[in-house]
Amino acid sequence: MIKAILIFNNHGKPRLIRFYQYFAEDMQQQIIRETFHLVSKRDDNVCNFLEGGSLIGGSDYKLIYRHYATLYFVFCVDSSESELGILDLIQVNLLQFVFVETLDKCFENVCELDLIFHMDKVHYILQEVVMGGMVLETNMNEIVAQVELQNRMEKSEGGLSAAPARAVSAVKNMNLPEIPRNINIGDINIKVPSLSPF
Amino acid sequence: MALKIVKGSIDRMFDKNLQDLVRGIRNHKEDEAKYISTCIDEIKQELKQDNIAVKANAVCKLTYLQMLGYDVSWAAFNIVEVMSSSKFTYKRIGYLAASQCFHEGTDVIMLTTNQIRKDLSSPNQYDTGVALTGLSCFVTPDLARDLANDIMTLMSHTKPYIRKKAVLIMYKVFLKYPESLRPAFPRLKEKLEDPDPGVQSAAVNVICELARRNPKNYLSLAPLFFKLMTSSTNNWVLIKIIKLFGALTPLEPRLGKKLIEPLTNLIHSTSAMSLLYECVNTVIAVLISLSSGMPNHSASIQLCVQKLRILIEDSDQNLKYLGLLAMSKILKTHPKSVQSHKDLILQCLDDKDESIRLRALDLLYGMVSKKNLMEIVKKLMLHVDKAEGTTYRDELLTKIIDICSQSNFQYITNFEWYISILVELTRLEGTRHGHLIASQMLDVAIRVKAIRGFAVAQMATLLDNAHLLTGNTQRNGICEVLYAAAWICGEFSEHLEDPMQTLEAMLRPKVATLPGHIQAVYVQNAAKLFATVLRKHDGETESQAAQETSQLLIDRLPLFVQSANLEVQERASCILQLVKYIQKLQQKNVEVAEEVTALFAGELNPVAPKAQKKVPIPEGLDLDAWINEPPSGSESEDEKPKAVFAKEEPKHSRSRHTEVDEKELARRREVRKQEQASNPFYIKASPSSQKVYDAPGVEHIPVVQIDLSVPLKVPGMPMSDQYLKLEEERRQKEKAERKKKEKKKKREKRGKERKADSGPESEEDITPAHQVDIVTEEMPENALPSDDDDKDPNDPHKALDIDLDKPLADSDKLPVRTHRPEVLKSPAEDRDGESVPQETKKKSGKEKKKDKEKDRKRSKEEKKKKKKPKEVEEELLESQPEEAVQSEETKEAAAPPTSTSAEASDLDFWLSSAPVPPAAQEVTAPSSSAAAVDTSSAAAPESEPDEPKDTEPEDTKSSKHKKKKQKKEKEEKEKKKKKRHHHHHQHHGDAGGEDSVQNGTVEEEEPLPPMSNYSLLAENSYIKMVYDIQGNHQDESKVVVSVIFENKSDSFLKAMEFNVLDSLNSKLQRPEGAGAHDSLTVPFQLPPGVSNEARFVFSVQSIVMPQKLKGTLTFIVKSDESSTHEKLDFKLHFTCTSYLITTPCYSDAYAKLLESGDLKGSSLRLEGINMPFHHLLARICFHHHFSVVERIDSCASMYSRSIQGHHVCLLVKTSDQTVSIDAKCDEPSLLGNVLDEIKQTFSKC
């Protein structure tokens, strides 16, 4: 069983959290902090397994993580999961599939910003990979196909009623990569909505 | 300013979406909390609007805020609203939010039941999928109970996407609602063979999770998993299965033997490290489970260790880590094979990665021996010095202690060395493990008598330097060591050289800063030291020293009398008064030394920590019974004891204050005393000490002994004076030497000691002290064997410990809502619509008949109900959701039952009929396997006369050797007779049981002999093939031929190609694109002596006639020198039996079937059958795929069904060695052939 999947960046900011066992919000944050603390002090060239995150489980549990550019992908699993299997799950080692790879395909070269702005989409992808703490599908093509079908459905549902909203959000997103960098000072970010043709 | 206003209005016009929120948060790094709180206010506004799109957007943002740690449970109801939107887009948002923040305590969850049910049955597969995904995260016991049935229906959904999700979520449902496990299990099992790999993988996943916690209930699935393992190519599934086998093998060693070969094959062939690693792990588990019986698995162990070494040597840290992890498993049972890799493991201790160092430390535990202990510990001590992190250092410390103290200090040859190590460890700053060191010191000092002198000297030094330890803060756990030091110095003060000095050290004012419990020990032991000093100066009249000591105590103790700690205060004031009194006596020149010493005389023995728990309850002692009747309300009730207690303890009510009671008490006391006398765990007073207490009258106080954790001395224990003197002399010398060394660096000293064995400065004067007799811990007489139940009583998996092989009972149904039309799917159901409504109730055979009529009526009613229009159902659904659930109405919920014994014996057949010689021999001695075959074929003729011996009824769980022998004999028979099917039948004298048994359940009768359906296909000097044909459940025109290839030679067999000359009727299924005459490559290679199974699918058109297909196997034999191409012809015999599938059938359905009149009859008589009836039935069931419908005395009805849906019914009767079989089938020629085959089976007996 997978007990939790955490994605956070090099500063410990959560980008996606998915607990398969209930923890209250403050406990979740504490777990993230603790996990980040454990993981971040490790060199990149040491092994990817960590024992005894005391908050999240007993001796049966392990943290399996991968550091991927600016992001940490951490899985907390018990002994029924294969360590290498989970690593494969996080990133392709062999013929199997990956979570990261899947993100890559869906977002075309995933970077941290994608995760930041599309947390919901990442969740939907993750739901096709892991369900209720158990691995649902390991075939990357199948995962991508299902995700795309659902997205297509969402689009077709949008129809006319959603068109204006989409247009607004399209405009808002127009200069997405630059916006956070350029517009840091106070009110200038108003520019963006006021530029809209409405 | 103006801009701000503009911005605000625009924002309201276009609600922020998730991206805007994120962007906003990123732009408000300084006042994030404030910004978010305004956002939450906005969200609250949005949630109040009616527009579902706005609501969904708000919920989506909440999901993001939840991730940042904000509690969003206040919006739970809005989340439910969004979940119930008809649009997938919004529904998805709602379910995502719910899965992130709902939990069992969320009260709105109960509102969702109907919504989720609606989504589950939605025509849109993604609605269903989203609902399943969400539910998997927040399922509660209530939801599980109410929806279990709906989810179970989804397990047979047409879309694999839904099927796999439904299968997976069942695990969560089982956890929350364990009653659902039994009814759902048959279908879950079915999904293991689902055509879709995703669904299959999900089912494997769920069963593995279940089996991991309660493995014994899933043993019967082993054959199925074995097949999956040999056929699956999905590494993920393989890993799961292999892990599962790892959990199963400890329960069934025979399984392990069967597994070793395919696993070793995989180890040799796989390129996936994850798979390789899991194989090695499971092989290790197998070896552990076999370790008792089979000593000759060294080759497998070698293979594992060798592979692990490769992993450990790999540059990939992950592999290194896992290698060490697996190594530690081998260590437990085969320490020798690991010890040879000591170099590698020590090397890992220097690794920069802490995880790896910790793993290596674990391994060290098993690597030590008397020889290398000191060396290893020295290395660890160096690490202790270097370690930066306290956690790692603490880990090192515990490991050092673990390693040294393991199995009763087995590896320690020099305890002085060990004590000095412990003392050295006390130098560690900030360790949490002071108590651990302390308990080791105590343990060694108490149990190793010879070391006490040395230990006391060391402890005295420690006490003297105590300011070093307490210099740091009190929080420093290391001060615990002083607890041990003080106690040792006090208890064994006779070994002290200068007790006066130690006494002084113990009464320093600084001691008052120590924790209370340590001070208490100080005070108590100061008194002990005082006694020693007095005794030392005993005889000297007007001893100055003795009086000085008294004065010292009187001066210093008041400090402790003022202590805030009660224990310290109490002891100090007690002792202070005592000393004052003694001082008075001293001034009068009264000899007091002996009496004071007597206060602390006697010796304590170590008692095993579990001793108390292990005291067996004496016969007749009822701990729950009242000793005295509880105070009763009124006088009258006293005379008439309450009925509740009257039965149990009638005596007590009367025997309270009488004379008789006094006598009885005395007698009991006597008995108890005797019992105690013979009870070694009881801390006895020595005879002399008994006297001290033996004031007349006091003896009658019932509690004579007090077991105190604080050392309380019993006076009068004789001390060995001679030993003491010897010790003293030796100690004198030794101490002088030691004092010199003390000045030097500790480490040097240890180095010297290590060389002491050969060195000129050998400490031969100490060596006698090293002839240590270690006092073992005391245990009570007839202590119970370890029966500790380590299972957590709160483990949710405990509730899932359910016997899955038992047939389903009435109570095992899932709650079903009324009036839900559900098409019954009877196993006996005909495809052309002649449906036989089936009652899922299972009753014992006797009751069954009575109930038949009733059942039939009820099923008619059911049919009617099902015809009710759907609209009505929908209405009802909405109006009365809750109570409807409780309805008694039955449904297909309970799947076809499986029969216990049939399955259990299936497992036995499977385990015992391994068509290959035991793995041990093959793996260990591959080269000799050819020879082994020779001898076995030579022995073949002998196997015949042996047979009767075998056939005697014997327990199926008899010794492994017997099993093995049977197996061999069977193979030999196979070879010899060269017949297909049903070889090797046994004769049994007595008749079967009397009881009416249903569906093959033959409990408590003679165990069945092992049987196998595998028969010889062909063999030559290289290879042997045996095969079995089985119908495919999923496809009516396909049969699966399982062929086991066994390499008999000592060469490597590879490039095996299997080909069959197709006939018009039967064709080998070839992959797409392959020609009609192409051969199939066997998907594995065979190392010498190894066997493996491959499966081939054939399509058949007509199944009414048996058929033979010619085929050829080609392969390359590769030995060291050469490789040759070989070929072996064979004939595959498709019997009609192989088209039959074991299908359970209920007696009422069966009766209907016979009544229908569509079936043609035929019959058969067999003479001279003298086997028990249930064996006969079992044979028919096993070899011909029938199931018993009903059995009454020596008459049974049986049923089977062909892959194309023909019903075959048998009525088997037996009397006096004659068996008559009346058979009916809708296809006469099929029936004729099946009967011929049955006849053939029994003619071979």
Side-chain angles (χ1 to χ4, degrees), chain B residues 962-1006:
Chain B
K962 226 166 187 175
K963 273 270 138 68
K964 223 161 78 188
K965 203 167 147 196
Q966 276 188 337
K967 220 190 287 173
K968 271 215 169 137
E969 277 166 16
K970 203 186 291 174
E971 278 157 34
E972 270 135 33
K973 284 201 78 179
E974 260 173 9
K975 281 180 210 157
K976 218 175 111 215
K977 292 189 176 173
K978 297 216 173 188
K979 287 175 186 166
R980 26 164 345 273
H981 276 316
H982 338 312
H983 52 274
H984 195 60
H985 284 198
Q986 281 115 4
H987 310 264
H988 291 267
D990 35 53
E994 311 281 274
D995 293 335
S996 150
V997 181
Q998 201 182 359
N999 217 5
T1001 322
V1002 275
E1003 318 94 319
E1004 317 272 323
E1005 289 184 47
E1006 267 177 71

Side-chain angles (χ1 to χ4, degrees), chain A residues 22-39:
Chain A
Y22 173 69
F23 290 101
E25 275 77 12
D26 47 349
M27 192 63 182
Q28 293 186 352
Q29 294 301 312
Q30 207 179 328
I31 289 171
I32 295 169
R33 275 195 300 277
E34 195 203 46
T35 312
F36 170 69
H37 184 71
L38 283 172
V39 166

Side-chain angles (χ1 to χ4, degrees), chain A residues 49-112:
Chain A
F49 313 116
L50 256 178
E51 281 158 83
S54 55
L55 281 174
I56 209 166
S59 56
D60 200 29
Y61 287 90
K62 258 198 199 83
L63 294 177
I64 300 175
Y65 73 96
R66 258 193 198 281
H67 194 187
Y68 193 82
T70 57
L71 292 172
Y72 284 99
F73 290 72
V74 185
F75 279 53
C76 175
V77 301
D78 69 9
S79 60
S80 74
E81 299 295 340
S82 147
E83 291 88 348
L84 291 172
I86 292 288
L87 274 182
D88 285 355
L89 198 85
I90 304 177
Q91 188 184 39
V92 156
N93 267 352
L94 308 167
L95 303 167
Q96 297 282 336
F97 84 109
V98 204
F99 182 41
V100 172
E101 283 269 309
T102 315
L103 284 175
D104 247 357
K105 278 209 172 170
C106 295
F107 285 137
E108 292 163 14
N109 284 324
V110 70
C111 68
E112 195 187 338

Side-chain angles (χ1 to χ4, degrees), chain B residues 537-813:
Chain B
H537 301 285
D538 197 14
E540 306 169 24
T541 44
E542 286 211 27
S543 162
Q544 197 61 37
Q547 292 200 9
E548 266 172 26
T549 318
S550 310
Q551 196 51 48
L552 176 74
L553 279 169
I554 290 168
D555 290 346
R556 299 279 177 86
L557 278 175
L559 176 69
F560 297 101
V561 175
Q562 293 159 14
S563 167
N565 187 298
L566 193 67
E567 181 92 10
V568 181
Q569 197 187 79
E570 201 171 1
R571 285 177 194 231
S573 67
C574 221
I575 288 164
L576 182 61
Q577 292 313 313
L578 182 74
V579 176
K580 278 181 181 165
Y581 180 65
I582 290 167
Q583 199 185 30
K584 248 187 236 168
L585 292 176
Q586 278 174 333
Q587 279 157 4
K588 290 178 194 161
N589 263 338
V590 182
E591 290 278 318
V592 285
E594 201 164 312
E595 275 129 47
V596 177
T597 321
L599 280 175
F600 306 110
E603 188 149 358
L604 288 172
N605 284 335
V607 175
K610 283 181 188 162
Q612 185 67 49
K613 243 203 277 180
K614 303 259 168 158
V615 180
I617 296 175
E619 223 177 296
L621 173 66
D622 183 2
L623 288 172
D624 294 328
W626 292 100
I627 296 172
N628 288 315
E629 175 133 329
S632 52
S634 67
E635 289 282 90
S636 61
E637 270 183 18
D638 224 29
E639 286 173 1
K640 204 167 60 177
K642 278 182 203 158
V644 187
F645 305 112
K647 264 185 204 164
E648 297 163 3
E649 300 282 306
K651 271 184 242 163
H652 288 263
S653 57
R654 253 166 278 134
S655 60
R656 263 205 266 177
H657 312 288
T658 50
E659 273 289 300
V660 194
D661 196 28
E662 214 80 299
K663 272 184 200 163
E664 169 72 13
L665 239 120
R667 194 187 59 79
R668 281 191 205 154
R669 197 173 301 130
E670 204 49 47
V671 170
R672 192 170 56 230
K673 262 194 200 161
Q674 267 166 18
E675 233 174 53
Q676 286 165 5
S678 59
N679 200 345
F681 76 86
Y682 208 94
I683 301 176
K684 290 184 282 277
S686 62
S688 53
S689 73
Q690 194 72 27
K691 269 177 212 153
V692 178
Y693 289 119
D694 260 3
V698 182
E699 203 207 23
H700 291 279
I701 299 167
V703 182
V704 184
Q705 303 283 347
I706 307 165
D707 186 0
L708 289 179
S709 58
V710 179
L712 177 75
K713 292 293 228 156
V714 187
M717 196 73 176
M719 250 1 244
S720 147
D721 283 314
Q722 292 92 336
Y723 175 76
L724 185 86
K725 265 180 201 161
L726 257 171
E727 263 300 297
E728 209 111 89
E729 279 174 22
R730 233 170 29 88
R731 206 154 41 83
Q732 215 74 28
K733 263 187 177 176
E734 171 196 90
K735 185 134 196 185
E737 227 167 276
R738 192 140 302 271
K739 271 205 169 161
K740 264 187 264 162
K741 279 177 196 163
E742 214 93 62
K743 302 269 153 38
K744 296 180 189 173
K745 262 193 165 181
K746 277 273 157 95
R747 213 163 298 121
E748 279 174 19
K749 186 188 75 194
R750 249 187 312 116
K752 228 183 232 173
E753 268 176 27
R754 204 167 51 251
K755 284 170 213 143
D757 300 31
S758 54
E761 256 207 288
S762 120
E763 308 178 19
E764 62 267 30
D765 50 339
I766 313 172
T767 18
H770 300 165
Q771 292 174 347
V772 167
D773 80 299
I774 298 166
V775 186
T776 49
E777 295 170 326
E778 293 187 340
M779 281 291 252
E781 234 179 324
N782 51 38
L784 307 163
S786 178
D787 50 350
D788 296 352
D789 193 3
D790 293 332
K791 273 196 176 174
D792 177 10
N794 296 326
D795 187 358
H797 295 91
K798 235 184 163 182
L800 288 180
D801 190 358
I802 296 167
D803 185 357
L804 296 163
D805 293 335
K806 264 196 290 183
L808 291 167
D810 254 358
S811 53
D812 287 329
K813 274 174 215 135

Side-chain angles (χ1 to χ4, degrees), chain A residues 12 47 49 66 68 92 110 118 121 135 139 161 167 171 194-195:
Chain A
C47 75
F49 313 116
R66 258 193 198 281
Y68 193 82
V92 156
V110 70
H118 302 280
K121 301 229 166 49
V135 176
N139 180 345
S161 63
V171 173
S194 63
L195 272 177

